[in-house]
């Protein structure tokens, strides 16, 4: 099924908007620092004696709630804007939500889903870029990708060889906290995507 906003005219508006957008300055990518900032907060909590507040149980208690917000948001956006990009993001949010739910099959299923999403993104690269290129949405997408990647690097103990302070004690707290930061960033992406699509829809009227 082809998703589009007001047919060919909407695509023309997207292309025009893309041409007018300035190149993203490096400083606009400040959200990439949110993951490392979450790590610093964990170390600060350890110094203050509140490390358990950043533990697995604390983070998992709020993970489903945090991911439910962008999941519902993108469901609504798919029906309102009928955009393939919003459908893509909905599938991604559902995959993360199911993984946090921890029912049988999700541990392997998340990798299968991500592989399918990568192929989807590659195939529809031009169309997706038209919406996100040189925009805050692009910044937050890449920053969120980096944040989730950072959490997985921590989970796989990559930083043990880099002599991260107290890595043996802290890696679970660090992983869970950085991952939760990624969930929060998905909410931001949902809001930005809504605003972006609403602006483009208004221009196409």
């Amino acid at each position: 099924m082809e998703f589009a906003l007001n047919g060919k005219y909407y695509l023309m508006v997207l292309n025009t908007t893309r041409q007018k957008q300035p190149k993203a300055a490096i400083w606009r990518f400040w959200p990439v620092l949110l993951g490392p900032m979450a790590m610093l907060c964990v170390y600060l909590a350890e110094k203050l004696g509140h490390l358990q507040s950043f533990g697995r149980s604390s983070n998992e208690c709020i993970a489903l709630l945090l991911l439910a917000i962008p999941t519902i948001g993108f469901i609504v956006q798919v029906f309102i804007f009928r955009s393939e990009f919003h459908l893509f993001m909905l599938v991604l949010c559902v995959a993360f939500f199911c993984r946090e739910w921890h029912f049988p099959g999700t541990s392997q299923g998340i990798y299968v889903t991500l592989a399918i999403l990568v192929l989807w993104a590659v195939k529809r690269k031009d169309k997706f870029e038209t919406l996100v290129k040189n925009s805050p949405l692009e910044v937050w997408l890449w920053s969120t990708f980096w944040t989730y990647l950072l959490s997985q690097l921590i989970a796989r103990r990559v930083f043990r060889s880099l002599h991260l302070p107290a890595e043996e004690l802290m890696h679970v707290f660090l992983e869970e906290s950085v991952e939760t930061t990624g969930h929060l960033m998905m909410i931001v992406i949902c809001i930005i995507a809504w605003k972006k699509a609403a602006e483009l829809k208004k221009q196409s009227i």
Side-chain angles (χ1 to χ4, degrees):
M1 181 177 181
E2 181 70 17
F3 286 81
L5 286 178
N6 298 323
K8 294 182 179 179
Y9 184 73
Y10 171 64
L11 293 177
M12 180 183 71
V13 171
L14 284 174
N15 287 321
T16 303
T17 303
R18 179 180 178 180
Q19 292 172 6
K20 292 181 179 179
Q21 290 170 338
K23 295 295 183 179
I26 294 178
W27 64 266
R28 294 179 62 193
F29 282 84
W30 66 266
V32 299
L33 301 176
L34 292 175
M37 287 173 64
M39 296 173 67
L40 290 175
C41 288
V42 173
Y43 280 106
L44 179 60
E46 192 274 333
K47 294 295 183 182
L48 297 176
H50 297 290
L51 184 59
Q52 292 305 317
S53 299
F54 290 81
R56 187 184 300 275
S57 59
S58 299
N59 282 284
E60 289 186 347
C61 282
I62 62 173
L64 284 175
L65 175 61
L66 294 178
L67 286 171
I69 296 172
T71 299
I72 295 172
F74 279 116
I75 289 174
V76 174
Q77 291 182 61
V78 166
F79 281 99
I80 293 177
F81 303 117
R82 305 198 62 82
S83 162
E84 185 175 347
F85 172 77
H86 292 90
L87 180 63
F88 176 91
M89 292 303 302
L90 172 60
V91 175
L92 179 62
C93 288
V94 170
F96 284 156
F97 184 88
C98 291
R99 178 179 177 273
E100 289 296 336
W101 200 346
H102 297 302
F103 58 82
T106 54
S107 296
Q108 295 75 28
I110 184 64
Y111 295 107
V112 175
T113 304
L114 290 177
I116 293 173
L117 287 172
V118 169
L119 292 175
W120 184 358
V122 169
K123 184 175 181 180
R124 305 295 284 172
K125 178 176 178 289
D126 291 341
K127 186 170 184 177
F128 288 173
E129 277 192 347
T130 302
L131 180 63
V132 306
K133 193 68 174 177
N134 297 327
S135 71
L137 188 54
E138 179 185 34
V139 172
W140 280 91
L141 283 168
W142 280 112
S143 299
T144 304
F145 169 78
W146 154 248
T147 302
Y148 279 124
L149 176 61
L150 179 62
S151 72
Q152 292 307 300
L153 293 175
I154 295 171
R156 284 157 178 71
R157 312 292 299 277
V158 172
F159 292 100
R160 177 170 48 185
S161 60
L162 300 178
H163 305 292
L164 190 70
E167 191 274 342
E168 184 71 27
L169 168 67
M170 305 286 283
H171 75 274
V172 173
F173 300 94
L174 293 169
E175 175 209 347
E176 294 293 334
S177 299
V178 172
E179 187 174 72
T180 297
T181 302
H183 300 338
L184 288 167
M185 295 170 75
M186 289 293 286
I187 298 175
V188 177
I189 289 173
C190 182
I191 295 171
I192 296 175
W194 189 309
K195 292 177 62 178
K196 178 74 171 180
E199 290 173 1
L200 292 171
K201 184 176 183 180
K202 186 177 180 179
Q203 293 177 29
S204 66
I205 295 175

